[in-house]
Every structure is written in structure tokens, then in C-alpha cells.
Amino acid sequence: MRTFGPIILLLLAGSPSVMAQRVGLVLSGGGATGMAHIGVLQALEENGVPIDHITGSSMGALVGGLYATGLSPWEIDSLFRTEQFQIMAEGGIEPEFDYYFKQDAPDASLINLRFDLDTTLQTSLPTNLRSPVLLDLEQMRGFAPAAAAAGYDMDSLFVNFRCVASDITAQRSVVFRKGDLAQAVRASMSYPFYFKPIRVNGHLMMDGGLYNNFPSDVMYQDFFPDLIIGSNVSSNSTPPTEDDLLSQLRAMMQEPTNFSVICENGVIIEPRTNTTIFDFSDPTVAIQDGYREAMARMPEILKQVTRTVSRAELTARRKAFRDRFPPLVFGDIRIHGANRSQTKYITRTVQNKSGSISYSELKPAYFRLYADKNIAHIYPRATFDRSRQVYDLDLQVKTEKDLEVRFGGMFSSRPINTGMAAIRYNLFGRSSAHIDALSYFGKFYAAGQVKLRVDLSTRSPLFIEPLFNIHRWDHFRSFSTFFDEVKPSFVVIRETYGGMNAGLGLGNKGLLRVDMKLAETKDSYYQSDEFNGSDTTDVTWFRQLNGGVQLTRYTFNRKQHPNAGQRMGLSLRYVMGDELTDLGNTRPDGTLEYRSYHAWWVLKGCIDQYLIPRGTVRLGYLLEGVYSTMPMFQNYTATIIRAPAFQPTPESRTYFIPEFRTTKYMAGGIRAIVAVARNKFDLRLEGYVFQPYEPIVRGEADQGVNSPGLIDRYFIGSGSLIYQSPLGPVWFNLSYIDGLRNAWAWSLNFGYILFNQKAQE
């Protein structure tokens, strides 16, 4: 019956227009190599070749779907070159929508595992390497108006369109002819282990290329065009081998595809490109390769084309189609996958008071919801209601697993090795909460912390966070490499506190935080380097109550060694408490005990910014200033330990250097960074100057006294080669730091040098 279909239609219609030649375009899958389809489309339009029908799989579905919404090949080209597209391909979020208020305090974690607590303890491996959260939202924005204008009929788009996906529930190929265009394209391009699969009508959908990577059969059966042009950048997989896991997985999942156009009148264009399957960083190469190959086959194509279409006619048709798009304004928001209490929290997060919400209003609220630690994934669907002239928004929400375990630490050629382990239990109802227990363990740094964070269901983002913390820094005398003898410690700082943090989100990047803490510190130290293992240290206890307010703006792209973004902070803190100092046996008056009450203010401001956020060469600067009214403690060392410190690099945070500690100072520095290999390698050069005002120096009888201001200044220089591995940073560092016995120090490191929040932070 298919053979006589065109003849029957011609006899019934009796119209000359029915006799016009119909051309179909088939686009294969192929990941980033599928960007070559854009060049093929450009070549076809330049030569007036009409495109009446498109079928596509995977990347071909994306390119074909964009064309079917009325975008020209050059507009699609421009879209693929945007920074937003690069971020989507990498599974990221646009920096302006990365919600700082919801971020955890940075810790040294390298590995995160999530579990469900059921009758048994279960875990699951992640199903995707890249987060599709930005992709899903932007596809809804791009495809929803076209689908609404077409009445959710893919035969009524700018061109007739079909795409295929793989139903892994029923283990068969599925053809989308009607319905949500964004959902259809997303289902078709859900490449296994790269993007998370989605559910359509209860069935789990994955990449169309698993069962049909070149849907010429769909083109033939659904449209029966006079001419089929194929653009194919894929091929069947090579046979699996014993040592290649990826080839074994492909063989198990992927069925062989017939890469032909089936009908006699057909031309297959097969661009060959050096672009790899996941490399979306430079669309130029693949697009040019597609254009070049299409132009090479153009004489053959034009011989078979009996009608042409001008660019002016296509432009007018595109405008007429896109003028029918309803504005993207949302009415009802329906939540799926959450219980009643959770639904109230989610709705309050994304909905506004007016009852309707535009896309520009939805987007920041959407990413605020996604940033919540109890939300694992969101998938949006927009359905147009013609009677109300608004879209209804369905959000399919997947809540996070009950339990998260984190492991990490710092592994170094210097004796600062520290392990880290943490566990989190999520609590999600009318508010979003979690309990965290975190520990560090090592000779240099050890800590334990328990805290509860509750994000309240309020219009303005607000959290409260009670916490308890204990930690210890052990600055021992020999501090170079693994091979040095470890001698008795000369400064050991112990701190225990309990308290409360509360925070108010200010936009996407700002945070206003207030806190109150009750703390005790115990500082053990020697007043000179002349001591042995049998000597006892001086000990200073300081029992304190302190509170403060801090205003922060934070946009760094990494928790350590950032190369883009900004950190601005202004804080004011009041500290009051009792000092008790016992003197050890290295002092002539070692039996003396000293008590005193202290109270002071600390004002601190800093700006840490990178001026060139993208590109190979990046520049940055740091400015920091402190003004404190802190009085002198019983002796010089006790005072220096309590004084604010300037520690601008990760390495400087591992040293106790009196020269960089005082109550009043200005400091600053510059950074030059060469970022290469898609931002995976950084060559980082930094230089800083520290200018104390009336620095604290050792006076008679080891008392702390102020010396004349603005006389001495101190310097830090640092050069690092950093590789951002999938787990964490690996870096070699060479530093020059004034105040060290040997000012030059080097280290080879893996992990993060990060500490729990201190009592006076």
C-alpha cells in the first residue's frame, strides 16, 4: 500500500502543488561529531535545496529539532558557539545561577557516595557523568513555544519532524510523532552514562542511537519523500575485546544500524572530522567538515533536485512560523515525585506571589531549588493552555538519597597529611535540613564537627545552623618533607566551641551571616627554640564568648585554586573572655599563673578577584585589611597566636609564622594564571606583600609590645603547576615565605588544604 500512496494522494487532491518534489533529510547520531550536520544544512540552504522533512537520532535529533523550530543553520551555528552551550555540554550551570546561599562550607572531600536507607543499606552508582539540569531547562525554553504553535503535532512544525529514542523498559525503538518536542529530543539524546535518562509515559528512554542511529526507515515509512539526503557521522561499533570495557558495554547495549537511505533516490553525505564524540569545545572544525563534504556532493544532489527555495523565502516562512509562538509565561506549577510537605517547600521556592511567572523569573528560582541539598534532580515540562494563554509547568522532582558519605583529605610530600571522612543524613519536609558529622585526622590537623542546617520555608532564603566543633593544629618544629625527623611541637592550638550560625541569602551570590559562639582555646607553646622532649610548654587557656556579622559575595569556580570569580567580604566581630596562662619549666618563673579579662573588636575586609574570567591567560588580585583592638595577652607568643593572620595561599595556611600575624595590617597581591587543556592545567604565579601597622614584637621578659608602624614588611611568592583531576587537584608548589628558617619550600600535593570553621570566623 505504501508503494501507491503518492499516486492515490495525487489523484485525490488534483492540485499541482501536490506534485512538488518532497525532500527528506536524515541526521545520524554521533555526539559532538554530529555538529557536522549544521555545516550540511548550511550547504543545502546556500544551494536552494528544499528540506521538507527531517528525521534524527541523538545529536541528529537535537540539530534537526532546532531546525524544525524555525532556526536557520547559521542561527544554530551561533547557538553552538555560545558560552551557555559549552556549559551545558560540560554539565554545568551558568555562573550567575550558581546559588552561593545553598553551598556547603568547603571541606576537603574528594569522593562522595550517596545511599538509600531501606530495609537494607543500598547504594547505586551514578548514572550520568554530566548534569543535564541546564540543558533540560534551556531545551524547554527553546522547544516549548514551537511545540505550542504546532499544537503538539510534529507535522505542523516549520518542517515535518521525527526523532527516535530507545525505550529500555520495553527494549525497542520509539518514534516521536506528537507531544512535547523538548521531551522527545531530550529522550533521543540521553547518551548512556553521559546524560541521565528520562521517563516518558512511565518508560525509561535513552539515546536513540542504541537501536536506530540513522532513522532513514522512519523517513521512508512516515513521509515517503521523492529524495532522501542523509548526513551520517557514525558507524557500527567494532567488535568488543577482552580488555576494553567500553566496547563490551556498547556491544551489549547497541544494535547494528543500517546506514543507508533505503530508497533509490538518495544521497548519503558522510563528513569525516577529527572532533571526538564528547568534545564540544570547538564547533568550527566539525561544522566546516560537514559543509565541505556536503559541497563536494552538491553536484550529485542538484542533479536530482527539481525545485529550489530561496533564502528570502525561507526567512519569510521562518518569521511567519516563529511569530505564532506564545510568550513563555507560566501559570500553574505542578510538582511530581515529592510528598505533600516537600511539595509545599518546593512550590514556595519557585512560585511568586502574582500567580504567574515569566521564564526570566523562573530561571533563578529553578536553580535555587536545584542547589538545595535535598534535591537530586529536576526535569521541567511546559504545556500550553490555549484558553488561559499560559503554560502549565510540571516539575518532576527526584529527592536526594537519605545518606551521603564523603572521603578526602590532603596527601603531601610535606608532613601535613590529613585524612577526612564525613557523613550526612538528609531531612526533608516543610523545611530542608540535614545533619552533618565531619572529621579530619592527622598529626598536623585533627578535627571533629557536628552541625544541623535547616533551610526555612520562607519567602526570603534563610537558614539556621547550630554546631559543635573541636579541632587542633600541631605546628611541629621540623616541617619540610616526609624524610625529616619529627621533633617536639613548638605550637599546638586546640579549640572547642558550640554555637549558632544564621544566614540570609542576598541574591544568588550574596550572604548575610550572623553567629554567636561559646568557645575555649588551649594554646601550648615554647617561648624559644631551645627546648627538648622533657620540657613542659607554656599553656594559655582563653574562655570566650564572641559574636559577629559578616557580609559575603562569592563567585569562585573552585573551592581551592580558583581561576575565575570573586570573593568579597566585610565582617565585624566582638570577642570577650578570660585568659589563664600557666608557664612551663623553660621559664625562670615557671610556677607563675596569670589571669586576665579581655574584650575587643575585629573589623576585616577583603576583595579577592579574577579580572579575566575566560581565556588562556588570567589575572587576579587580592586586597585584605584588618583593624583589631585586641589587647596583649600574658606574653608575646600567646598574643601572636590569638592575633589575626594573613594566609593568602594554601601552603601559607600550614605554617605558623609570627611575621604575618598582628592586630592591624594591610596586605595584597597579584596573580597570573595560564590555563590550558580546557582549564584542566593551571600554571599559577602569585606574589603578596604584608604591611603590618605597629607590629607585635617580643619585648623584655617575652612580653608582647608594639613596634613603630610601617617600618617592616614581608613577602610571599608562590609558583604552582596544578592539574584538576576528576577527583581533586594535584599540584607541585614552590614558595618563598619570609619568616621561615629556610624561606624557600617545595611540595607535591593531592587534595585540599581546608579546615573547619574557627571560633572567631
Side-chain angles (χ1 to χ4, degrees), residues 299-404:
E300 180 183 352
I301 294 171
L302 292 176
K303 284 182 181 180
Q304 301 190 57
V305 173
T306 61
R307 70 180 178 95
T308 58
V309 60
S310 68
R311 293 277 296 278
E313 180 184 343
L314 284 173
T315 300
R317 283 179 48 206
R318 285 191 171 102
K319 184 178 185 305
F321 178 67
R322 295 183 69 85
D323 283 348
R324 294 161 44 198
F325 287 9
L328 202 57
V329 177
F330 301 96
D332 293 340
I333 298 179
R334 299 184 289 254
I335 310 301
H336 309 274
N339 64 35
R340 181 177 298 180
S341 296
Q342 294 166 349
T343 297
K344 289 182 179 179
Y345 177 85
I346 294 168
T347 302
R348 195 172 181 87
T349 301
V350 298
Q351 184 63 282
N352 62 20
K353 296 178 181 178
S354 67
S356 64
I357 182 171
S358 67
Y359 180 79
S360 61
E361 293 170 322
L362 171 69
K363 190 171 183 178
Y366 183 89
F367 284 114
R368 287 175 189 175
L369 175 62
Y370 178 71
D372 194 282
K373 299 306 177 184
N374 278 299
I375 301 295
H377 183 64
I378 317 170
Y379 182 77
R381 285 191 63 193
T383 307
F384 187 63
D385 186 325
R386 292 194 177 277
S387 64
R388 294 156 50 223
Q389 290 294 298
V390 293
Y391 295 82
D392 290 328
L393 179 63
D394 290 271
L395 296 180
Q396 185 67 45
V397 176
K398 183 175 178 59
T399 58
E400 191 53 88
K401 297 180 185 297
D402 299 324
L403 201 65
E404 179 186 65

Side-chain angles (χ1 to χ4, degrees), residues 620-642:
Y621 69 91
L622 168 67
L623 295 175
E624 184 174 300
V626 168
Y627 183 87
S628 174
T629 61
M630 189 189 87
M632 297 294 176
F633 277 54
Q634 193 274 340
N635 57 67
Y636 164 77
T637 305
T639 306
I640 283 292
I641 291 173
R642 289 295 100 213

Side-chain angles (χ1 to χ4, degrees), residues 30-40 59 63 80 85-86 233 275-276 279-288 290:
T33 61
M35 293 187 292
H37 299 323
I38 302 170
V40 171
M59 191 64 178
V63 175
F80 274 59
F85 179 81
Q86 300 302 319
V233 294
T275 300
T276 57
D279 184 8
F280 293 90
S281 61
D282 185 10
T284 301
V285 174
I287 293 172
Q288 289 180 347

Side-chain angles (χ1 to χ4, degrees), residues 17 67 179 189 255 429 476:
S17 63
Y67 189 88
M189 58 181 291
E255 293 186 0
F476 40 94

Side-chain angles (χ1 to χ4, degrees), residues 192-333:
F193 307 117
Y194 194 80
F195 282 137
K196 185 183 291 291
I198 64 170
R199 287 195 178 274
V200 179
N201 298 325
H203 287 233
L204 202 61
M205 300 288 172
M206 293 188 78
D207 193 280
L210 294 180
Y211 296 147
N212 189 351
N213 208 24
F214 189 70
S216 60
D217 56 334
V218 177
M219 175 67 72
Y220 187 80
Q221 293 164 10
D222 277 34
F223 302 120
F224 204 81
D226 301 290
L227 172 64
I228 296 179
I229 300 171
S231 178
N232 176 38
V233 294
S234 191
S235 62
N236 288 314
S237 302
T238 56
T241 60
E242 296 88 340
D243 300 321
D244 189 343
L245 177 60
L246 191 58
S247 71
Q248 296 169 23
L249 292 172
R250 278 198 300 262
M252 287 188 287
M253 294 188 300
Q254 197 168 12
E255 293 186 0
T257 295
N258 178 16
F259 292 101
S260 68
V261 292
I262 300 179
C263 69
E264 294 180 3
N265 297 331
V267 178
I268 296 184
I269 303 166
E270 295 187 302
R272 292 293 174 258
T273 180
N274 291 326
T275 300
T276 57
I277 191 169
F278 296 129
D279 184 8
F280 293 90
S281 61
D282 185 10
T284 301
V285 174
I287 293 172
Q288 289 180 347
D289 290 337
Y291 179 84
R292 186 183 306 110
E293 186 62 27
M295 292 301 291
R297 303 296 302 274
M298 197 56 63
E300 180 183 352
I301 294 171
L302 292 176
K303 284 182 181 180
Q304 301 190 57
V305 173
T306 61
R307 70 180 178 95
T308 58
V309 60
S310 68
R311 293 277 296 278
E313 180 184 343
L314 284 173
T315 300
R317 283 179 48 206
R318 285 191 171 102
K319 184 178 185 305
F321 178 67
R322 295 183 69 85
D323 283 348
R324 294 161 44 198
F325 287 9
L328 202 57
V329 177
F330 301 96
D332 293 340
I333 298 179

Side-chain angles (χ1 to χ4, degrees), residues 82-203:
T82 62
E83 182 184 2
Q84 184 190 66
F85 179 81
Q86 300 302 319
I87 293 171
M88 283 191 288
E90 291 294 327
I93 295 173
E94 294 159 294
E96 60 266 35
F97 297 109
D98 194 5
Y99 198 29
Y100 174 59
F101 171 79
K102 293 284 189 178
Q103 291 181 11
D104 286 329
D107 60 36
S109 57
L110 298 166
I111 299 173
N112 290 25
L113 299 174
R114 293 181 173 88
F115 300 84
D116 273 327
L117 288 179
D118 205 25
T119 52
T120 58
L121 193 62
Q122 298 176 338
T123 184
S124 58
L125 295 174
T127 58
N128 55 296
L129 298 174
R130 297 286 185 262
S131 168
V133 61
L134 177 59
L135 173 73
D136 292 341
L137 188 67
E138 285 299 312
Q139 282 196 342
M140 181 193 73
R141 181 189 65 83
F143 288 127
Y152 298 96
D153 181 355
M154 295 184 191
D155 285 336
S156 299
L157 294 167
F158 176 69
V159 296
N160 305 144
F161 179 67
R162 300 286 187 273
C163 71
V164 298
S166 299
D167 182 344
I168 60 174
T169 302
Q171 297 184 342
R172 62 185 179 89
S173 183
V174 174
V175 180
F176 289 95
R177 298 178 175 89
K178 295 184 182 295
D180 189 327
L181 180 60
Q183 186 183 60
V185 171
R186 173 67 168 81
S188 183
M189 58 181 291
S190 300
Y191 194 88
F193 307 117
Y194 194 80
F195 282 137
K196 185 183 291 291
I198 64 170
R199 287 195 178 274
V200 179
N201 298 325
H203 287 233

